[in-house]
Amino acid sequence: MATAPSSPPLIPTSKLLTQDFSGDHSPAAAHGCPHLKQMKKSSEILTNYQVLARYCLHYKSRHALGILPPRDRKRAKLEKQDSSSSTKSLPTPSCLTCDTTLGRIHACLQCVYVGCWKGEHVQNHCATTGHVISMEINRCTLYCSTCKDFVYDRDFENIYNGELLRNAEIVSMVQEPGLKRAHFIRWNAPNKEAALIRAGTRLKPCQGLRGLRNMGSTCFMNVILQCFIHNPLLRGYFLSDQHSSKRCEIKTECMGCEMDQLFTQFYSGVKSPYGPCSFLHTMWMSSSDLAGYAQQDAHEFFISALNQIHAKSPGAKLHHCGCIIHKTFAGVLQSDVTCLNCANVTSANDPILDISLDLRPTKRSKSGVNKIRGTHDNDGPNSLADCLDRYTHPEKLGTNEYNCSKCGKTGQEATKQLSMKVLPPVLSFQLKRFEHSMGASKIETKIKFPAQLDMTQYTTAARKLKKSKLAKMNGASENGSPSTPSSSSSSSSSSTNSSVEIIPTCVYNLFAVINHQGKMDTGHYTAFARHRGEWFSLDDHKVTLASQKEVLNSNAYMLFYVKQNLDYDF
Amino acid sequence: MSSLTNDQLRANLHRELVESGKRDQLLELLRARLFESGWRDDLKKHTKDTIYARDTPVSVDELIKEVSPHARATIPDKIKAELLTQISAFVEETL
């Protein structure tokens, strides 16, 4: 008779292991296998692992770091490259027996041997030498050849996480020199505090996920609230008690206190839907145009809520405000106007809290081929990338719009181009589906958006770099110098994007999506949000598990991305 | 310049594939495409079902063996074609 299937493995509380307050409750699997335990007694295996992990991570980032595998001498001579030791090089991990670079490479943790799996060379090595533990070079996971399986051990995980962090810091330093970065220091509670925490807290299940009751066409508010709840920076701020309604001096009609209350409710462990009455009431008091039971635009509510929370924050300022809203959402948009006559560039910086993207067909295609309007959406943007390309594309100004201060010509022809000077930690997009002007119709075009977004190419810094690179290349060809040696970025036949390396702090991950179904003024808002690595569908009081595929296939109205690597504020 | 055997040629190509970073690029492309098509989510579900159907714990290698045929079979042809084009382009360039 078959036994009942074992329960699914526990979801770890966080990838970066936090201090274990509730005692040793982890499943046996986190302690590796008996063979590993035996090996750990000799401390060398941990040091070896650290060295190997560091090497593997460095090798993975070799292009960003400018450390390339040693080229063979013949090719180096052809390319007149400086193959001397001034250019550091890192050997490619390959099997010592058959020299292959593919086929799952393992590195022995007990001696200097690297072998491949496919050719069974590493298995043979383990059999002949009796060495048992090896590390797979792609993910730095441990393999025990006696257990014939991958094993997981906390101490090794800690080492790996430390090396990951260190590598990320180095890559950022190389990619963005001059950008100050605080060294990450983990906080460990001293014994007294740890004891207090253990005694005074209880781990509750189902925290952070809760439905919201629709109190009469308030779905527009519910989706925005859900996006606030699942916003990592807002969550961190309010859960760490940085705006406590108990200590707040404003007390009544304070949006900060409302947010605090909201987080308290969502993390109370109560599963029944919550009715955000006081939040709604306070918003009505603060912005009269939102008052009333009519359906509102979620984006309008979003901006209004942000402004209200900012206004009520202690020490809120008009410029360079350090409130949680600005710290989270504020970016700077740079607008460069280039005079086509004298090439003089005037720049202006605008603070922004989000980016609104136009979805209408571009003017160029309208005047082009006869296309059946409405059925073919080939004219307009099809993806977030298209929208962003358009947003940052140089745009010609009307003949009477620009007067150049340098060359003094009035009504000069000029182009304007937008770029992101400062990227906010949380980047919010609104896809302008609603045209409140003539013939109010909703643009239903499906806009493709990624789970991970790289904003490097839209930044002012990257654009400057690209321009100077192009200028250099043009200058080089004019001087008749030999063909430029292949740069560290593998640009070959791929798109122009690859000419600028990805800056790690410009990479974002999607965490929330707002959808709208139905017609403009009627219709229903729903949201998707990512909670602990899983996606959930949030439809007022209904919270259900969803798949990332579902999320990415939905017709988004608003998108929320958070930086994968946070900058530090000095 | 001695003529290289097929095996040597293949090994050199593999090495160039890895060292130039092209392999990483192709892997990322493949990952993105497979993800978009929903292949990853379907396979994840299939793998979970496979694990729960067993009463004994399964090792990574056993799991790979069991799930691979299904995984390979369900890859959309469009993606295979795209990857092949990219790989042939790379081979053309490198040789």
Side-chain angles (χ1 to χ4, degrees):
Chain A
M1 202 160 78
T3 49
S6 53
S7 54
L10 295 168
I11 302 171
T13 44
S14 90
K15 239 196 152 184
L16 277 176
L17 293 170
T18 51
Q19 202 169 343
D20 193 3
F21 291 112
S22 32
D24 200 15
H25 63 287
S26 52
H31 292 299
C33 65
H35 316 105
L36 184 66
K37 229 175 185 167
Q38 182 66 29
M39 286 309 308
K40 270 168 75 178
K41 286 183 185 153
S42 74
S43 58
E44 273 175 33
I45 198 170
L46 284 155
T47 326
N48 294 348
Y49 179 77
Q50 186 171 19
V51 172
L52 283 169
R54 190 174 290 191
Y55 160 66
C56 292
L57 288 168
H58 271 55
Y59 187 78
K60 273 194 192 172
S61 330
R62 63 193 182 282
H63 291 293
L65 293 173
I67 321 166
L68 297 174
R71 295 262 174 201
D72 62 329
R73 292 191 205 115
K74 201 196 276 181
R75 199 190 277 161
K77 276 188 190 155
L78 279 174
E79 293 178 345
K80 292 185 186 161
Q81 249 182 350
D82 186 3
S83 52
S84 65
S85 54
S86 62
T87 337
K88 292 204 190 112
S89 65
L90 207 59
T92 308
S94 48
C95 179
L96 287 177
T97 310
C98 68
D99 212 30
T100 183
T101 47
L102 306 171
R104 199 170 118 191
I105 312 271
H106 283 231
C108 179
L109 281 182
Q110 293 159 255
C111 73
V112 183
Y113 179 78
V114 177
C116 70
W117 183 263
K118 238 185 171 179
E120 302 215 355
H121 297 132
V122 66
Q123 292 94 315
N124 291 339
H125 169 81
C126 293
T128 49
T129 57
H131 292 168
V132 150
I133 310 292
S134 61
M135 182 191 89
E136 193 274 320
I137 59 137
N138 204 21
R139 288 177 204 254
C140 300
T141 45
L142 297 167
Y143 187 85
C144 172
S145 55
T146 314
C147 297
K148 288 205 168 40
D149 199 3
F150 284 96
V151 294
Y152 307 95
D153 180 280
R154 274 219 175 138
D155 295 330
F156 286 88
E157 295 257 329
N158 277 339
I159 294 176
Y160 181 62
N161 288 330
E163 288 303 314
L164 256 182
L165 197 62
R166 185 181 179 275
N167 190 60
E169 284 175 351
I170 294 174
V171 170
S172 290
M173 273 198 286
V174 170
Q175 299 262 309
E176 294 172 294
L179 200 69
K180 287 191 222 147
R181 171 156 280 113
H183 213 64
F184 174 74
I185 306 167
R186 185 173 293 139
W187 173 79
N188 277 315
N191 288 326
K192 239 191 188 179
E193 285 185 43
L196 276 170
I197 294 172
R198 236 177 260 126
T201 57
R202 240 184 323 145
L203 268 177
K204 285 191 184 166
C206 212
Q207 289 181 315
L209 271 184
R210 208 172 161 186
L212 286 166
R213 279 207 312 268
N214 188 320
M215 302 176 303
S217 307
T218 55
C219 54
F220 69 92
M221 173 176 77
N222 288 347
V223 288
I224 295 296
L225 292 186
Q226 292 284 7
C227 291
F228 283 163
I229 292 286
H230 291 94
N231 183 318
L233 275 82
L234 291 180
R235 180 186 67 210
Y237 182 82
F238 287 100
L239 281 183
S240 56
D241 221 19
Q242 297 206 38
H243 186 120
S244 165
S245 38
K246 293 189 187 119
R247 293 193 311 261
C248 179
E249 296 186 346
I250 306 175
K251 287 208 186 282
T252 46
E253 288 170 26
C254 170
M255 283 308 292
C257 291
E258 292 299 337
M259 287 289 280
D260 188 45
Q261 170 69 348
L262 194 70
F263 276 96
T264 308
Q265 287 293 334
F266 267 70
Y267 280 82
S268 61
V270 177
K271 292 190 206 170
S272 59
Y274 174 63
C277 317
S278 64
F279 195 99
L280 186 62
H281 174 84
T282 309
M283 276 299 288
W284 282 355
M285 293 293 113
S286 315
S287 25
S288 49
D289 41 309
L290 278 183
Y293 282 105
Q295 171 87 288
Q296 313 273 352
D297 177 35
H299 181 253
E300 263 184 62
F301 182 83
F302 172 61
I303 297 295
S304 197
L306 291 187
N307 283 322
Q308 287 307 320
I309 302 169
H310 148 79
K312 294 283 159 62
S313 294
K317 292 188 277 184
L318 265 178
H319 299 289
H320 302 294
C321 177
C323 75
I324 184 57
I325 294 298
H326 281 94
K327 270 201 215 165
T328 306
F329 295 100
V332 176
L333 189 65
Q334 179 155 320
S335 154
D336 297 314
V337 178
T338 314
C339 174
L340 286 177
N341 187 47
C342 64
N344 181 40
V345 181
T346 35
S347 308
N349 289 335
D350 285 308
I352 53 166
L353 286 176
D354 75 334
I355 299 182
S356 290
L357 297 167
D358 198 0
L359 298 182
R360 287 167 305 179
T362 47
K363 289 180 195 153
R364 282 172 241 151
S365 45
K366 253 188 191 166
S367 59
V369 185
N370 269 334
K371 281 193 176 164
I372 310 166
R373 232 187 264 169
T375 49
H376 289 279
D377 289 315
N378 296 326
D379 316 2
N382 287 315
S383 66
L384 186 66
D386 287 341
C387 293
L388 284 169
D389 284 337
R390 184 154 62 161
Y391 193 72
T392 55
H393 203 74
E395 172 197 317
K396 232 181 183 179
L397 292 179
T399 38
N400 287 325
E401 281 182 45
Y402 180 66
N403 299 320
C404 183
S405 51
K406 193 174 177 197
C407 62
K409 291 196 172 189
T410 52
Q412 187 51 244
E413 282 207 322
T415 56
K416 179 171 105 164
Q417 195 172 22
L418 298 175
S419 61
M420 289 300 291
K421 177 140 194 248
V422 175
L423 284 168
V426 172
L427 194 50
S428 322
F429 292 105
Q430 179 208 19
L431 301 173
K432 300 206 281 205
R433 293 190 180 280
F434 306 111
E435 283 305 303
H436 290 285
S437 54
M438 45 183 184
S441 64
K442 180 183 170 194
I443 304 176
E444 288 277 10
T445 328
K446 168 105 177 285
I447 304 290
K448 259 173 64 178
F449 55 93
Q452 194 172 74
L453 174 68
D454 171 32
M455 290 289 289
T456 310
Q457 58 182 296
Y458 306 112
T459 57
T460 319
R463 181 160 303 149
K464 253 195 207 159
L465 196 64
K466 194 171 174 184
K467 263 194 182 154
S468 65
K469 263 192 188 172
L470 280 170
K472 263 189 205 158
M473 273 167 60
N474 289 333
S477 59
E478 278 169 13
N479 294 337
S481 58
S483 55
T484 47
S486 52
S487 58
S488 54
S489 60
S490 44
S491 43
S492 49
S493 55
S494 35
S495 62
T496 47
N497 292 347
S498 55
S499 55
V500 179
E501 293 282 340
I502 298 175
I503 301 175
T505 46
C506 299
V507 177
Y508 288 82
N509 291 322
L510 183 71
F511 70 89
V513 178
I514 293 182
N515 301 306
H516 180 267
Q517 291 94 27
K519 294 208 204 123
M520 249 182 81
D521 293 319
T522 56
H524 185 56
Y525 284 102
T526 56
F528 285 110
R530 208 177 67 206
H531 178 76
R532 281 184 170 190
E534 297 275 10
W535 283 97
F536 289 88
S537 158
L538 308 156
D539 182 356
D540 284 333
H541 58 277
K542 291 178 282 204
V543 177
T544 47
L545 189 64
S547 70
Q548 190 163 344
K549 181 182 174 184
E550 230 181 290
V551 177
L552 296 181
N553 276 342
S554 64
N555 240 7
Y557 172 50
M558 288 179 72
L559 298 167
F560 294 89
Y561 287 89
V562 65
K563 273 193 180 181
Q564 191 165 15
N565 298 298
L566 288 179
D567 316 275
Y568 282 85
D569 220 10
F570 274 87
Chain B
M1 188 165 72
S2 59
S3 56
L4 299 165
T5 62
N6 267 345
D7 284 341
Q8 272 180 299
L9 207 60
R10 178 178 283 136
N12 285 350
L13 267 175
H14 282 171
R15 184 168 281 269
E16 181 58 27
L17 191 69
V18 172
E19 289 185 356
S20 64
K22 188 70 184 177
R23 181 167 182 266
D24 297 329
Q25 226 187 343
L26 290 172
L27 268 174
E28 276 313 304
L29 178 67
L30 182 61
R31 266 197 199 110
R33 292 285 183 259
L34 286 175
F35 187 83
E36 282 166 11
S37 72
W39 177 90
R40 186 180 184 271
D41 288 326
D42 294 335
L43 184 64
K44 193 172 181 187
K45 187 167 186 298
H46 179 262
T47 313
K48 275 188 175 168
D49 293 339
T50 312
I51 297 173
Y52 293 154
R54 297 168 63 110
D55 24 343
T56 51
V58 61
S59 77
V60 174
D61 286 317
E62 282 169 20
L63 194 62
I64 294 175
K65 229 188 240 176
E66 216 179 301
V67 162
S68 288
H70 178 266
R72 284 219 159 86
T74 49
I75 298 180
D77 288 329
K78 210 172 71 169
I79 298 178
K80 285 189 194 169
E82 187 178 354
L83 260 295
L84 267 171
T85 327
Q86 293 266 332
I87 296 173
S88 337
F90 169 78
V91 173
E92 288 282 321
E93 270 174 34
T94 319
L95 282 177

